[in-house]
Amino acid sequence: MPWIKVKDALNGQAGQSVTVKGWVRTRRDSKAGLSFIALHDGTCHDAIQIVAKNDLPNYVDEIAHLTTGCAIEADGVLAESKGKGQSVEIQAESVRVVGWVEDPDTYPVPMKRHTMEYLREQAHLRVRTNTFGSVARVRHTLAMGVHRFFDERDFYYVHTPIITGSDCEGAGEMFRVSTLDALNYPKADDGTPDYSQDFFGRETNLTVSGQLNVETYCQALSRVYTFGPTFRAENSNTSRHLAEFWMIEPEIAFADLTDNAKLAEHMLKFVFDDLLTRRGDDMAFFDQRIENGLIDKLKGIIESDFRTLPYTEAIDILKNAKKKFEFPVEWGLDMQSEHERYLTEEHFKQPLVIVNYPKKIKAFYMRLNDAGTDGAPEDTVAAMDVLAPGIGEIIGGAQREERLDVLDRRIDEMGLDQSDYWWYRDLRKYGTTPHAGFGLGFERLIQFCTGIGNIRDVIPFPRAPKQCEF
RNA sequence: UCCCCGAUAGCUCAAUUGGUAGAGCGAGCGGCUGUUAACCGCUAGGUUGUAGGUUCGAGUCCUACUCGGGGAGCCA
């Protein structure tokens, strides 16, 4: 009999002979002489019901003892269900037990309600649950949607390095990469480690961003993006931060901040729509069990235009808000979480693109705006943040400074060393173009699309401070 | 890293002014039923996060630590 996936069995024709393979979700017995086995294999949200009668040779010894988590293969005939709750089921002709659950009493994920915190400690088994199976499928679909979106628009996928020379990436605590003996390392004259004797002959770290590298490819291939792991050694302990996360960073040449914001908007709308189309079963589950109104939220974003709001204007709105804020609102200060939440969750109730931030709170590579842009009292740069209700900053990006003299001035102002950026500066010497890009936190995107509150529950094996099990 | 809260059965929680540990779910066995959040009965299951301290006596009070949650900072 042909082995078919559960998703195909659920859509199959009655009378078809099939084999299915997967894991038992539940077993229910009827003393009328049969058992009902709900079987899932990860190919869709729902399980298929297998009806096993007690005249099967291994019914008493094996089938009647199946528990949640057992791996089985079943042959049988697809039939319209005689019971309610499912349209088709499999009338079993044979059920083979492939793998037992050794001790059902201590099986960590039996068929009962569990907290997300508990399941996080069982990360190797949690994907067997409804919720985490759905998260895994949605994560996959969003990743494929991102690739499809860029591929269809002539973007090239660039694999920027994971290991990087240390001084060229700016902000963010980094994880050191070294083969030196931590207990007995060669020392320089001042007692610090002598990295010239290390593997790469210099100090190296895990990347905190692929942006600087991908800009080089942008200046030859026009439209490029990275999609890879990113590492931050910050001691962040929140529901929105990981030490290892995945980031999508497109970079476009001959483009300005407006083009950049449009790209972000089109990309988000594309992947939302793609997700709703391809994973309706899982999204219905999240809508029902995790965040009521989730699907309408995503549809609303797909159908509406993103709101672009200059930083200067945002500050005015916050200053005039009736709401009392814990932190001060002042032009030139970075917006706090409470301010961003007010704007996106209360005032506008939709995703926002905030643009043109004060120069002094943003990175050196962001393009300096003309004086007085948006009526700002001081210099601004062409930066943008996309804020999503419930998540906060989901995208951060900018038009890049393509003028070498201005870039050098910014490097000096920030106390950085031009020589550390020699190849980045070369891009401005040889055929420079206006260009822009952004970084999208992939896990934050998944959080937004599933309603899952903690970022550690949307990545298979979360890495966070004091957390590197599995 | 800072503020607040928490840790008791496999899981979720209860336990009076400090007085000798309980329930539901899950699991096993039995009963009943084309079942599907099943239902009824019985059974098993505990070094109360770790290390100290106070006390005749600590799940309960004190100190430190570890881990988890909510919020903040950093950001994606």
Side-chain angles (χ1 to χ4, degrees):
Chain A
M1 293 181 189
W3 172 23
I4 66 170
K5 306 304 179 196
V6 167
K7 75 177 166 82
D8 295 324
L10 288 169
N11 293 315
Q13 292 296 313
Q16 203 179 342
S17 287
V18 298
T19 297
V20 290
K21 307 183 183 192
W23 294 267
V24 173
R25 186 150 271 156
T26 60
R27 188 199 85 238
R28 295 178 296 275
D29 300 327
S30 165
K31 282 301 188 306
L34 59 164
S35 289
F36 302 95
I37 302 163
L39 188 80
H40 72 97
D41 68 357
T43 55
C44 57
H45 178 269
D46 290 331
I48 191 160
Q49 174 158 288
I50 297 169
V51 183
K53 293 191 171 149
N54 64 1
D55 57 4
L56 290 171
N58 62 339
Y59 183 85
V60 174
D61 289 339
E62 295 192 324
I63 294 172
H65 296 285
L66 286 173
T67 57
T68 302
C70 289
I72 64 169
E73 301 172 357
D75 308 324
V77 179
L78 279 179
E80 285 186 29
S81 180
K82 295 174 192 165
K84 292 171 185 166
Q86 60 281 317
S87 54
V88 294
E89 62 191 19
I90 295 175
Q91 298 287 345
E93 292 162 4
S94 156
V95 175
R96 295 178 296 282
V97 181
V98 177
W100 287 100
V101 167
E102 284 188 5
D103 180 8
D105 189 35
T106 57
Y107 181 56
V109 285
M111 202 55 196
K112 72 180 287 296
R113 285 187 65 86
H114 298 286
T115 60
M116 300 293 268
E117 293 78 29
Y118 169 73
L119 289 170
R120 203 176 299 147
E121 295 170 358
Q122 309 294 338
H124 58 311
L125 299 172
R126 66 178 178 171
V127 71
R128 300 174 179 211
T129 64
N130 278 331
T131 302
F132 286 91
S134 292
V135 169
R137 282 183 293 274
V138 165
R139 186 179 173 108
H140 165 84
T141 302
L142 284 170
M144 292 298 117
V146 166
H147 285 305
R148 197 174 302 112
F149 172 82
F150 285 127
D151 185 52
E152 288 174 1
R153 284 158 187 78
D154 298 317
F155 282 69
Y156 294 109
Y157 177 25
V158 178
H159 299 104
T160 49
I162 305 299
I163 300 172
T164 178
S166 64
D167 292 331
C168 296
E169 300 209 19
E173 289 295 309
M174 304 176 88
F175 289 102
R176 178 159 299 144
V177 174
S178 175
T179 55
L180 294 179
D181 183 343
L183 297 176
N184 186 27
Y185 54 86
K187 292 185 173 70
D189 292 342
D190 60 359
T192 59
D194 180 7
Y195 292 111
S196 70
Q197 296 185 46
D198 205 345
F199 186 89
F200 293 106
R202 61 184 297 171
E203 191 177 348
T204 49
N205 294 285
L206 295 178
T207 185
V208 296
S209 166
Q211 181 204 318
L212 268 49
N213 286 292
V214 87
E215 279 191 47
T216 67
Y217 270 60
C218 177
Q219 293 305 309
L221 303 179
S222 298
R223 293 152 82 86
V224 296
Y225 71 106
T226 72
F227 188 167
T230 308
F231 307 88
R232 305 263 169 102
E234 255 105 35
N235 193 11
S236 298
N237 234 304
T238 79
S239 58
R240 314 179 295 285
H241 289 85
L242 290 166
E244 176 185 284
F245 64 100
W246 289 65
M247 188 155 63
I248 297 147
E249 297 176 286
E251 195 75 26
I252 47 179
F254 303 101
D256 61 14
L257 191 66
T258 304
D259 299 319
N260 203 28
K262 277 269 175 286
L263 177 66
E265 177 177 353
H266 291 153
M267 184 196 67
L268 289 174
K269 287 180 173 177
F270 179 95
V271 298
F272 291 165
D273 187 58
D274 188 64
L275 176 64
L276 291 172
T277 302
R278 291 170 188 266
R279 288 260 60 100
D281 57 347
D282 293 315
M283 294 308 290
F285 172 79
F286 287 125
D287 192 281
Q288 187 191 343
R289 302 292 287 274
I290 305 290
E291 180 183 330
N292 291 128
L294 176 69
I295 291 173
D296 284 343
K297 176 182 86 176
L298 295 178
K299 282 183 176 169
I301 291 172
I302 292 167
E303 286 157 11
S304 68
D305 290 333
F306 277 32
R307 176 104 187 200
T308 298
L309 184 69
Y311 167 89
T312 301
E313 204 175 306
I315 294 297
D316 283 342
I317 291 171
L318 291 169
K319 279 191 160 180
N320 293 325
K322 288 171 188 163
K323 191 181 177 89
K324 293 272 184 209
F325 295 114
E326 187 184 344
F327 292 92
V329 176
E330 204 62 53
W331 199 100
L333 298 181
D334 221 345
M335 272 189 270
Q336 305 289 319
S337 285
E338 58 171 348
H339 305 141
E340 296 178 345
R341 293 181 90 111
Y342 172 80
L343 290 171
T344 190
E345 291 171 15
E346 292 182 51
H347 190 84
F348 291 105
K349 292 189 169 73
Q350 68 171 97
L352 294 174
V353 186
I354 301 190
V355 298
N356 299 332
Y357 283 80
K359 176 182 80 167
K360 58 189 176 188
I361 59 171
K362 289 293 180 182
F364 75 92
Y365 53 74
M366 296 182 176
R367 191 179 195 277
L368 187 66
N369 286 323
D370 294 340
T373 296
D374 307 322
E378 294 175 36
D379 281 346
T380 59
V381 290
M384 68 172 202
D385 282 354
V386 178
L387 308 180
I391 305 292
E393 186 177 341
I394 195 169
I395 284 177
Q399 183 174 344
R400 320 304 186 187
E401 184 54 76
E402 85 281 12
R403 300 161 296 189
L404 183 61
D405 56 330
V406 181
L407 181 70
D408 282 346
R409 218 158 46 232
R410 293 279 287 148
I411 289 174
D412 293 344
E413 277 174 14
M414 304 196 74
L416 304 172
D417 189 341
Q418 290 184 19
S419 64
D420 287 337
Y421 300 90
W422 67 273
W423 53 267
Y424 191 71
R425 293 176 64 250
D426 268 5
L427 300 176
R428 278 70 182 168
K429 294 181 188 171
Y430 310 131
T432 193
T433 71
H435 62 290
F438 61 81
L440 166 68
F442 187 51
E443 284 75 20
R444 289 186 183 176
L445 177 70
I446 301 169
Q447 280 188 277
F448 187 72
C449 291
T450 59
I452 299 284
N454 195 310
I455 199 166
R456 299 174 194 202
D457 298 325
V458 296
I459 190 167
F461 299 102
R463 272 77 176 96
K466 300 293 190 307
Q467 183 169 31
C468 198
E469 191 63 64
F470 305 102

